[in-house]
Amino acid sequence: MNTNANSNPIVYEENARDRGALLVKCPDRPGIVAAISKFLADRKANIVESNQHSSDPQGGTFFIRVEFECPQLNEKRAAMEAEFESLAESFSMDYRFTYRADRKRTAIFVSKETHCLLELLWEWQSGDLPTDIVMVISNHEEARGMVEALGIPFYYIPANKDIRKQVEEKQIALLKEKQIDVIILARYMQILTSDFVSEFPDKIINIHHSFLPAFIGARPYERAYARGVKLIGATSHYVTNDLDEGPIIEQDIERVNHRDHVADLKKIGRSIERRVLARAVKWHLEDRVIVHENKTIVFE
Amino acid sequence: MNTNANSNPIVYEENARDRGALLVKCPDRPGIVAAISKFLADRKANIVESNQHSSDPQGGTFFIRVEFECPQLNEKRAAMEAEFESLAESFSMDYRFTYRADRKRTAIFVSKETHCLLELLWEWQSGDLPTDIVMVISNHEEARGMVEALGIPFYYIPANKDIRKQVEEKQIALLKEKQIDVIILARYMQILTSDFVSEFPDKIINIHHSFLPAFIGARPYERAYARGVKLIGATSHYVTNDLDEGPIIEQDIERVNHRDHVADLKKIGRSIERRVLARAVKWHLEDRVIVHENKTIVFE
Amino acid sequence: MNTNANSNPIVYEENARDRGALLVKCPDRPGIVAAISKFLADRKANIVESNQHSSDPQGGTFFIRVEFECPQLNEKRAAMEAEFESLAESFSMDYRFTYRADRKRTAIFVSKETHCLLELLWEWQSGDLPTDIVMVISNHEEARGMVEALGIPFYYIPANKDIRKQVEEKQIALLKEKQIDVIILARYMQILTSDFVSEFPDKIINIHHSFLPAFIGARPYERAYARGVKLIGATSHYVTNDLDEGPIIEQDIERVNHRDHVADLKKIGRSIERRVLARAVKWHLEDRVIVHENKTIVFE
Amino acid sequence: MNTNANSNPIVYEENARDRGALLVKCPDRPGIVAAISKFLADRKANIVESNQHSSDPQGGTFFIRVEFECPQLNEKRAAMEAEFESLAESFSMDYRFTYRADRKRTAIFVSKETHCLLELLWEWQSGDLPTDIVMVISNHEEARGMVEALGIPFYYIPANKDIRKQVEEKQIALLKEKQIDVIILARYMQILTSDFVSEFPDKIINIHHSFLPAFIGARPYERAYARGVKLIGATSHYVTNDLDEGPIIEQDIERVNHRDHVADLKKIGRSIERRVLARAVKWHLEDRVIVHENKTIVFE
């Protein structure tokens, strides 16, 4: 049971205790679904949702996410995982079990602009983000008030490229001490080194304020304005060592026109950034995203 | 093999011969997916796509569509269907097998406005509608040219409410003689009687030029204009005996504003009607739609 | 100058003091634009934005909104308005001047669901709503915390249909005492009597949680679910004495599917309601909306 | 009067004879609108639509499009234009008068893929494109049938980079002989030389099958698939000497997901390309587009 002070009671429905999901990636071939569903049926686990994907029907990689409900799941899960191993081996599966009862522990990084942070806190308060927000880290003080008002610890860690190494060491220590599972860069305007990124593979989610791959890098709205585009967008992606090149989770856009100056684009962009990041984070927290090569399979 | 003169070669890929789908509706309970997937695996059928839905996780109705690929499917299918019966019975399944090789035979009904017909013919020509368009029936001559240019038989059957009975008898005779599976009302401006409708349950697809349930019935654009709505829409649905009340398959909308007069709404509406009907027809032809009570489950 | 404690400094740019707008409605005929633009040019007012609309090119009603910048506007405005009268008379104009320096005084009504209120407060804090939020009135206590945290007075006025008369008298007294210009019903779940409505013509903005005219009245999401629609929407409109029949300012929708139960529709709906109401309120506060008969002309 | 065989009678309303538009670009300063509207009013021209834009309220470039209706316009226009010159000079205006009665003469270039051509022909037939389609030029034979069926001359001009110079000379001669005003590249897969482009400044409209500036150049769908984007788009722009860098007129997108392979992206993309090009062409034909530096002002 989750006793974290800033956990979110609304999301924590009773039956969640018996909910789990199995995510699998393996070479495609007949019999996978049969084997998995038999395994679950034999353990009285009822499949409540199932999504699958073949990278290529004529023998490619097969992906499946099965969400199930199983009485006394907490008591059974250890045995279940142990028993699954031989099956997984026979299909050379890369897999993981996840459980609704294990709420992910999240840290949000933010700088001066707080709109994405606010959206996440709002969704979290309304019970739409199944996670414990364990901390907010910022290189500015702007967000302290709204964060502490919700009983969430706020860590002010000044940062700039000259002290990057020390700053990241401090951050990593904090994240590990608090056993953080997910790091959300909610408009955190500092570049992370590959040392930092490699500590948390596929666990750092960023929001980039453009429709990638257009306007990679700095000042995307200024460049969108200069180019005279008729739509602007935002992109949420996993952070890798290639700036803005990580696997894309979600994107969205809105129309703009010649009347919109850079300030208007930024304002319109803020609302796109808010919803794109919120969607991506939700899917990640619900274990609906599988990263494969440099892409994502999102089982919405 | 399909030898119809106006069949569409592009869609007819070789492997289609070995493609099939199983659609099932039954009371929800553990083991359904396991049973179905085992059944297919035992017959060397590889599941290439699978979608399911539970009307209510705590025991409601369960729906699943499994698309599979199976060598020599044509030779095996009769046996497969026979063998499935006992399994179906044990789960009290309402089910059907469909085969890509059996192209549905379609009749399109149209009146004066040809934009929806044109869209369907265009999609069909580009190989995006897996069907044989066996005939076009119209109560006007406008469409004859474009239809016959494609080698599709065109039947001009004048109609009005006074002669409705005779007209429908003639139409039904024609549809039965040509073994029509799907009837598309592509802006056919005559009301069909319950006698006609009950001949083709869940087989008649209509496009209504409003966002149902708003503006049910006649002159929706005029009424949308009078109300001053900021969005107009179109709805594609199966035809039942309740006018515009049948199960909705697809809907879409576009923004309008105070500058748009009725003529503008109609013009904007035409493009919405085109894409909404085309999508609904495609999903129906690919057996992705299950009708349940007065709703549809669409496994896109 | 505005000295209200809870005014929003960000919006209050210096040049706003010299910004004004003229809104006109009159019988269409040649020379209107010439007369208005000459009038402004003669007073050194530079037209920065101009929008017009003819209900019908062959002589209908003509609408125009002209936004201008004029040095020392505050000193000149009284004289300007006086001098405009004769011109207005000669074209039988129904018109009004509005000034950016005069920030509208807003009251927000809310019940238990706070998402629309939160969105408005968020937009207001980011400087996107040019208004003074003078009070929040609620028949529940849920919103008190977030409102008072921003230094906005919160009035808890319990309400139900039995005491409606007394409740509205209390509300009206309060609204008049504080000289409220705009009343926003941000999911206020009480019906207002015609006595209340007629006190504030074209000044009460409501958000209805459906795509009007579909699902007028109560429980729209439940009814949308029952009908099996593939899109749900929200509508912001001025409140008149006909429930949900007032002039529509803005509408928007989002896609839903068979997987979405009523709770999902409500959740998706919340995000539509938030942005639809925020847009409508913004346009109203910027005097971009003209009500004509039962429709709106919105000069975005 | 237009007597062209393949002109479009539907569009040709009687009153069009009296419709004109004035497009102006000049340094911003007070009095421009007053001067223009007085000029028109003095000539009994009724302003039916007016749109303006200031690149920067504090003195930048001012743009205005005024559409007017004036009895006996055909008889008056020469004098009107002559009389406007002094006014234009006093404001250093860059301007042009256009008349609905002068239908632009259009040439469409196409290669193998005909979906964009079909869309334009369809819009043109329904009376939504006010132009005379004088010819279709193609380096393939695919489109001949549908083009000649509409009585539009089809010119088959084989092309490849080795014979580019001769091919373009032939094309230019043809375009000049037929006094072409607008050239539409409806998926014409040959690169045009700067010699060709400079013959028709701001008169060549292209559709690029990506959301520019993402995926400039060849094979955009393949690259979009490789990057794993969640939206794909299309862009219509004027052709300049910088490949895919010309002023953007219109863009749109659609959602895609991990299930969509390159072939699916192309199919979805076709429908985006169709509507984006059709909109851009319509706005250009109605003289709603002003090119300024490398951007467009579109007065929808």
Side-chain angles (χ1 to χ4, degrees):
Chain A
M1 271 302 301
N2 159 29
T3 59
N4 189 305
N6 53 314
S7 73
N8 179 337
I10 309 171
V11 160
Y12 203 84
E13 332 86 35
E14 265 325 288
N15 77 331
R17 185 187 293 106
D18 294 338
R19 275 278 177 114
L22 170 61
L23 284 84
V24 172
K25 181 199 299 193
C26 66
D28 200 356
R29 65 176 236 213
I32 304 170
V33 179
I36 292 174
S37 46
K38 182 175 184 317
F39 179 89
L40 291 170
D42 293 348
R43 284 149 187 81
K44 306 267 169 297
N46 189 19
I47 297 177
V48 291
E49 187 181 337
S50 174
N51 296 281
Q52 63 178 69
H53 172 60
S54 310
S55 67
D56 170 3
Q58 323 333 107
T61 307
F62 180 80
F63 307 86
I64 186 166
R65 176 187 185 275
V66 183
E67 190 167 332
F68 54 88
E69 207 160 279
C70 180
Q72 281 78 47
L73 183 55
N74 262 340
E75 296 62 34
K76 294 181 178 173
R77 54 194 265 190
M80 190 182 258
E81 293 192 29
E83 292 156 18
F84 191 74
E85 267 175 35
S86 61
L87 189 160
E89 212 163 274
S90 64
F91 285 91
S92 347
M93 290 177 175
D94 171 0
Y95 73 101
R96 72 179 194 269
F97 280 88
T98 67
Y99 306 94
R100 189 83 71 84
D102 303 345
R103 290 156 62 83
K104 291 188 173 52
R105 297 171 58 78
T106 297
I108 303 177
F109 281 48
V110 65
S111 292
K112 281 185 172 164
E113 291 209 69
T114 59
H115 55 283
C116 287
L117 170 65
L118 272 168
E119 184 75 6
L120 294 172
L121 295 177
W122 183 81
E123 291 272 341
W124 176 75
Q125 275 187 298
S126 3
D128 296 333
L129 291 186
T131 186
D132 296 337
I133 299 181
V134 178
M135 67 177 73
V136 171
I137 292 178
S138 181
N139 54 331
H140 294 277
E141 285 283 10
E142 274 76 0
R144 183 184 290 278
M146 65 189 74
V147 170
E148 294 182 337
L150 291 166
I152 301 171
F154 178 86
Y155 297 89
Y156 170 53
I157 304 179
N160 64 57
K161 61 181 182 350
D162 309 329
I163 56 170
R164 185 156 289 154
K165 202 169 177 349
Q166 307 89 295
V167 169
E168 290 193 346
E169 277 163 4
K170 196 183 304 180
Q171 294 169 336
I172 291 169
L174 197 55
L175 296 166
K176 294 195 169 272
E177 178 205 335
K178 300 291 186 185
Q179 305 156 56
I180 296 303
D181 305 302
V182 187
I183 297 166
I184 303 169
L185 307 182
R187 299 301 309 275
Y188 182 64
M189 307 311 280
Q190 293 286 314
I191 287 174
L192 300 174
T193 69
S194 55
D195 295 354
F196 187 104
V197 173
S198 47
E199 289 278 352
F200 308 97
D202 298 343
K203 290 181 170 181
I204 311 174
I205 298 175
N206 183 43
I207 179 72
H208 182 73
H209 40 311
S210 86
F211 176 81
L212 292 173
F215 310 121
I216 288 181
R219 307 175 63 74
Y221 292 125
E222 284 77 358
R223 287 149 64 205
Y225 176 75
R227 180 62 184 94
V229 293
K230 300 299 185 182
L231 306 169
I232 59 168
T235 303
S236 186
H237 61 92
Y238 287 108
V239 176
T240 62
N241 288 327
D242 306 310
L243 181 66
D244 301 336
E245 297 278 13
I248 293 171
I249 306 169
E250 171 66 339
Q251 303 185 286
D252 205 349
I253 59 95
E254 273 190 31
R255 297 188 76 79
V256 294
N257 64 41
H258 59 268
R259 269 180 232 85
D260 299 307
H261 290 266
V262 171
D264 305 300
L265 300 190
K266 287 179 175 176
K267 178 186 303 182
I268 295 165
R270 282 198 294 266
S271 71
I272 313 174
E273 294 164 32
R274 287 161 64 192
R275 65 173 184 266
V276 167
L277 180 60
R279 274 189 221 138
V281 167
K282 189 173 196 311
W283 292 334
H284 177 85
L285 290 173
E286 294 179 351
D287 296 297
R288 296 181 170 281
V289 188
I290 298 177
V291 175
H292 180 55
E293 284 148 8
N294 199 47
K295 297 184 185 188
T296 62
I297 285 110
V298 180
F299 290 129
E300 287 185 49
Chain B
M1 269 301 300
N2 159 29
T3 59
N4 189 306
N6 52 312
S7 74
N8 179 338
I10 309 170
V11 160
Y12 201 81
E13 332 86 37
E14 263 326 288
N15 76 330
R17 186 189 289 105
D18 294 338
R19 276 277 177 116
L22 169 62
L23 284 84
V24 172
K25 182 199 300 193
C26 67
D28 201 354
R29 66 174 233 213
I32 303 170
V33 179
I36 291 175
S37 47
K38 181 176 187 314
F39 178 89
L40 292 170
D42 293 348
R43 285 151 187 80
K44 306 268 167 297
N46 190 18
I47 297 177
V48 291
E49 186 181 336
S50 174
N51 296 281
Q52 61 178 72
H53 172 60
S54 309
S55 67
D56 170 4
Q58 317 343 101
T61 307
F62 179 81
F63 307 86
I64 185 166
R65 176 187 185 275
V66 183
E67 191 167 332
F68 55 88
E69 208 160 280
C70 180
Q72 281 79 47
L73 182 56
N74 261 341
E75 296 62 33
K76 293 180 179 173
R77 53 194 266 189
M80 190 182 259
E81 292 193 30
E83 293 156 17
F84 191 74
E85 267 175 35
S86 61
L87 189 160
E89 212 163 275
S90 64
F91 285 91
S92 349
M93 292 177 174
D94 170 359
Y95 73 101
R96 71 179 196 269
F97 280 88
T98 67
Y99 305 94
R100 189 82 72 82
D102 303 346
R103 287 157 61 84
K104 292 190 173 51
R105 297 172 56 81
T106 298
I108 303 177
F109 282 48
V110 66
S111 291
K112 279 184 171 165
E113 292 207 70
T114 59
H115 55 282
C116 287
L117 171 65
L118 271 168
E119 183 76 4
L120 293 173
L121 296 177
W122 183 80
E123 291 271 341
W124 176 76
Q125 275 188 296
S126 4
D128 296 333
L129 291 186
T131 185
D132 296 338
I133 299 181
V134 180
M135 65 177 74
V136 171
I137 293 179
S138 181
N139 55 331
H140 294 278
E141 287 282 10
E142 274 75 1
R144 184 185 289 278
M146 64 189 76
V147 171
E148 293 182 338
L150 291 167
I152 301 171
F154 178 86
Y155 297 89
Y156 169 53
I157 304 179
N160 62 59
K161 62 179 179 354
D162 309 330
I163 57 170
R164 184 156 292 152
K165 205 172 176 342
Q166 308 89 292
V167 169
E168 289 193 348
E169 278 164 4
K170 196 183 303 181
Q171 294 170 334
I172 291 170
L174 198 55
L175 296 165
K176 293 194 170 274
E177 180 204 335
K178 300 292 186 182
Q179 305 157 56
I180 295 303
D181 304 302
V182 187
I183 297 165
I184 303 169
L185 307 181
R187 299 300 308 276
Y188 181 65
M189 307 310 281
Q190 294 286 313
I191 287 173
L192 301 175
T193 69
S194 55
D195 296 354
F196 187 103
V197 172
S198 46
E199 290 277 352
F200 308 96
D202 298 342
K203 291 182 170 179
I204 311 174
I205 298 175
N206 183 43
I207 178 73
H208 182 74
H209 40 314
S210 86
F211 177 78
L212 291 174
F215 310 121
I216 288 180
R219 309 176 64 71
Y221 291 125
E222 285 77 358
R223 288 150 62 205
Y225 176 76
R227 180 61 184 96
V229 294
K230 300 299 186 183
L231 305 169
I232 59 169
T235 304
S236 186
H237 61 91
Y238 288 109
V239 176
T240 63
N241 287 326
D242 306 309
L243 180 66
D244 302 336
E245 298 278 13
I248 294 170
I249 306 169
E250 170 67 337
Q251 304 186 284
D252 206 350
I253 58 96
E254 274 189 32
R255 296 190 77 78
V256 295
N257 64 41
H258 59 267
R259 270 180 229 85
D260 298 307
H261 289 268
V262 172
D264 305 300
L265 300 190
K266 287 180 175 175
K267 178 186 302 183
I268 295 164
R270 282 199 294 265
S271 71
I272 313 173
E273 296 163 31
R274 288 160 65 192
R275 65 172 184 266
V276 167
L277 180 60
R279 274 188 222 139
V281 166
K282 188 172 197 310
W283 292 332
H284 176 86
L285 291 172
E286 294 178 352
D287 296 296
R288 297 182 171 281
V289 188
I290 296 178
V291 175
H292 180 55
E293 284 149 7
N294 199 46
K295 300 184 182 186
T296 62
I297 286 110
V298 180
F299 289 129
E300 287 183 49
Chain C
M1 271 301 302
N2 159 28
T3 59
N4 189 306
N6 53 313
S7 73
N8 179 337
I10 309 170
V11 160
Y12 202 82
E13 334 86 36
E14 264 325 287
N15 76 331
R17 186 188 289 103
D18 293 337
R19 275 280 177 113
L22 169 62
L23 283 84
V24 172
K25 182 200 300 193
C26 66
D28 202 356
R29 66 175 234 213
I32 304 170
V33 179
I36 292 175
S37 47
K38 182 176 187 315
F39 178 89
L40 291 170
D42 294 348
R43 284 149 188 81
K44 306 267 169 297
N46 189 19
I47 297 177
V48 291
E49 187 182 337
S50 174
N51 296 282
Q52 62 178 69
H53 172 60
S54 310
S55 67
D56 171 4
Q58 326 329 110
T61 307
F62 179 81
F63 308 85
I64 186 166
R65 176 186 185 276
V66 183
E67 190 167 333
F68 55 87
E69 207 161 280
C70 180
Q72 281 78 45
L73 182 55
N74 261 340
E75 295 63 34
K76 292 181 180 172
R77 53 194 266 189
M80 190 182 257
E81 292 193 30
E83 292 156 19
F84 191 75
E85 267 176 34
S86 60
L87 188 160
E89 213 164 90
S90 64
F91 284 91
S92 347
M93 291 177 175
D94 171 1
Y95 74 102
R96 70 177 195 270
F97 280 87
T98 67
Y99 305 94
R100 188 81 72 84
D102 303 346
R103 288 157 63 84
K104 291 190 173 51
R105 295 171 59 78
T106 297
I108 302 177
F109 282 48
V110 67
S111 291
K112 280 185 172 163
E113 291 209 69
T114 59
H115 55 284
C116 288
L117 171 65
L118 271 168
E119 184 76 6
L120 293 172
L121 295 177
W122 183 81
E123 290 271 342
W124 176 76
Q125 275 188 296
S126 0
D128 295 336
L129 290 186
T131 186
D132 297 338
I133 298 181
V134 179
M135 66 176 73
V136 171
I137 293 178
S138 181
N139 55 332
H140 294 278
E141 286 283 10
E142 274 76 0
R144 182 184 291 277
M146 65 189 74
V147 171
E148 294 182 338
L150 292 166
I152 301 171
F154 177 87
Y155 297 90
Y156 169 54
I157 304 179
N160 64 58
K161 62 179 180 351
D162 309 330
I163 56 169
R164 184 157 291 151
K165 204 172 175 345
Q166 307 88 293
V167 168
E168 290 193 346
E169 278 163 4
K170 196 183 303 181
Q171 294 168 335
I172 292 170
L174 198 54
L175 296 165
K176 295 199 169 266
E177 179 204 335
K178 300 292 186 183
Q179 305 158 55
I180 296 303
D181 304 302
V182 187
I183 298 165
I184 303 169
L185 307 182
R187 296 302 308 276
Y188 181 65
M189 306 311 279
Q190 294 285 313
I191 287 173
L192 301 175
T193 69
S194 55
D195 296 353
F196 187 104
V197 173
S198 46
E199 289 278 352
F200 308 95
D202 297 343
K203 291 181 170 180
I204 310 173
I205 297 175
N206 184 43
I207 179 73
H208 182 73
H209 40 312
S210 87
F211 177 79
L212 291 174
F215 310 121
I216 288 179
R219 307 176 64 72
Y221 291 125
E222 285 78 357
R223 289 149 64 205
Y225 176 75
R227 180 61 184 95
V229 293
K230 300 300 186 184
L231 305 170
I232 58 168
T235 304
S236 186
H237 62 90
Y238 288 109
V239 175
T240 63
N241 288 326
D242 307 310
L243 181 66
D244 302 335
E245 297 279 13
I248 293 170
I249 306 168
E250 171 66 338
Q251 304 185 286
D252 205 348
I253 59 94
E254 275 189 30
R255 296 190 77 78
V256 295
N257 64 40
H258 59 267
R259 269 180 232 85
D260 298 308
H261 289 267
V262 172
D264 305 300
L265 300 190
K266 287 180 175 176
K267 177 179 154 22
I268 295 165
R270 282 198 295 267
S271 71
I272 313 173
E273 296 163 32
R274 286 161 66 192
R275 64 172 184 267
V276 167
L277 179 60
R279 273 188 223 138
V281 166
K282 189 172 195 315
W283 292 333
H284 176 87
L285 291 173
E286 295 179 351
D287 296 297
R288 297 182 169 282
V289 187
I290 297 178
V291 175
H292 180 56
E293 282 148 9
N294 199 46
K295 298 184 183 187
T296 62
I297 285 108
V298 180
F299 289 130
E300 286 184 51
Chain D
M1 270 302 299
N2 158 28
T3 59
N4 189 306
N6 52 314
S7 73
N8 180 338
I10 308 171
V11 159
Y12 202 83
E13 332 87 33
E14 265 324 290
N15 76 331
R17 188 190 288 104
D18 293 339
R19 275 279 178 116
L22 169 63
L23 284 84
V24 172
K25 181 198 302 193
C26 66
D28 201 355
R29 67 175 233 212
I32 304 170
V33 180
I36 292 174
S37 47
K38 180 176 188 313
F39 178 90
L40 291 171
D42 292 348
R43 284 148 188 81
K44 307 266 168 298
N46 190 18
I47 297 177
V48 291
E49 187 182 335
S50 174
N51 297 281
Q52 62 178 71
H53 173 60
S54 309
S55 67
D56 172 4
Q58 320 339 104
T61 307
F62 180 81
F63 308 86
I64 187 166
R65 177 188 185 274
V66 183
E67 189 167 334
F68 55 88
E69 207 161 280
C70 179
Q72 280 79 48
L73 183 55
N74 262 340
E75 295 63 33
K76 293 181 179 173
R77 54 195 263 190
M80 190 182 259
E81 293 192 30
E83 293 155 19
F84 190 75
E85 268 175 34
S86 61
L87 188 159
E89 212 163 276
S90 64
F91 285 89
S92 348
M93 291 177 175
D94 170 358
Y95 74 101
R96 71 180 197 267
F97 280 88
T98 68
Y99 305 94
R100 189 82 72 83
D102 303 345
R103 288 158 62 83
K104 291 189 172 53
R105 297 171 58 78
T106 297
I108 303 176
F109 282 48
V110 66
S111 292
K112 279 184 171 166
E113 291 209 70
T114 58
H115 55 283
C116 287
L117 171 65
L118 271 168
E119 184 75 6
L120 293 173
L121 295 177
W122 183 82
E123 291 272 342
W124 176 76
Q125 275 187 297
S126 358
D128 295 335
L129 291 186
T131 185
D132 297 339
I133 299 181
V134 178
M135 66 177 73
V136 170
I137 292 178
S138 181
N139 56 331
H140 294 277
E141 286 282 12
E142 275 75 1
R144 183 186 289 279
M146 64 189 76
V147 170
E148 293 182 339
L150 291 167
I152 301 171
F154 178 88
Y155 297 89
Y156 170 54
I157 304 181
N160 64 58
K161 61 180 182 350
D162 309 329
I163 56 169
R164 184 156 290 153
K165 205 173 174 341
Q166 308 88 296
V167 168
E168 290 194 347
E169 276 163 4
K170 196 182 303 181
Q171 294 169 334
I172 292 169
L174 197 54
L175 296 166
K176 294 194 169 274
E177 178 204 335
K178 300 291 186 184
Q179 305 155 56
I180 296 303
D181 304 302
V182 187
I183 297 166
I184 304 170
L185 307 182
R187 299 299 309 275
Y188 181 64
M189 306 311 282
Q190 293 287 313
I191 287 174
L192 300 175
T193 68
S194 54
D195 296 354
F196 187 104
V197 173
S198 47
E199 288 278 352
F200 308 96
D202 298 341
K203 290 182 171 180
I204 310 175
I205 298 175
N206 183 43
I207 179 74
H208 181 75
H209 41 313
S210 86
F211 177 79
L212 290 174
F215 309 121
I216 288 180
R219 308 175 64 71
Y221 292 125
E222 286 76 358
R223 288 149 63 206
Y225 176 76
R227 180 61 185 94
V229 293
K230 300 300 185 182
L231 305 169
I232 58 167
T235 303
S236 186
H237 61 92
Y238 288 108
V239 175
T240 63
N241 287 328
D242 306 310
L243 181 65
D244 302 335
E245 296 279 13
I248 293 171
I249 305 169
E250 170 67 338
Q251 305 185 286
D252 206 350
I253 58 95
E254 273 190 32
R255 296 190 77 77
V256 294
N257 63 41
H258 58 268
R259 270 179 231 86
D260 298 308
H261 289 267
V262 172
D264 305 300
L265 300 190
K266 287 179 175 176
K267 176 179 153 21
I268 295 165
R270 282 198 295 265
S271 71
I272 313 173
E273 296 164 31
R274 286 161 66 192
R275 62 172 185 268
V276 167
L277 180 60
R279 274 189 221 137
V281 166
K282 189 173 197 311
W283 292 332
H284 177 86
L285 291 172
E286 294 178 353
D287 296 296
R288 297 182 171 281
V289 188
I290 297 178
V291 175
H292 180 56
E293 283 148 8
N294 199 47
K295 299 184 183 187
T296 61
I297 286 111
V298 180
F299 290 129
E300 287 184 50

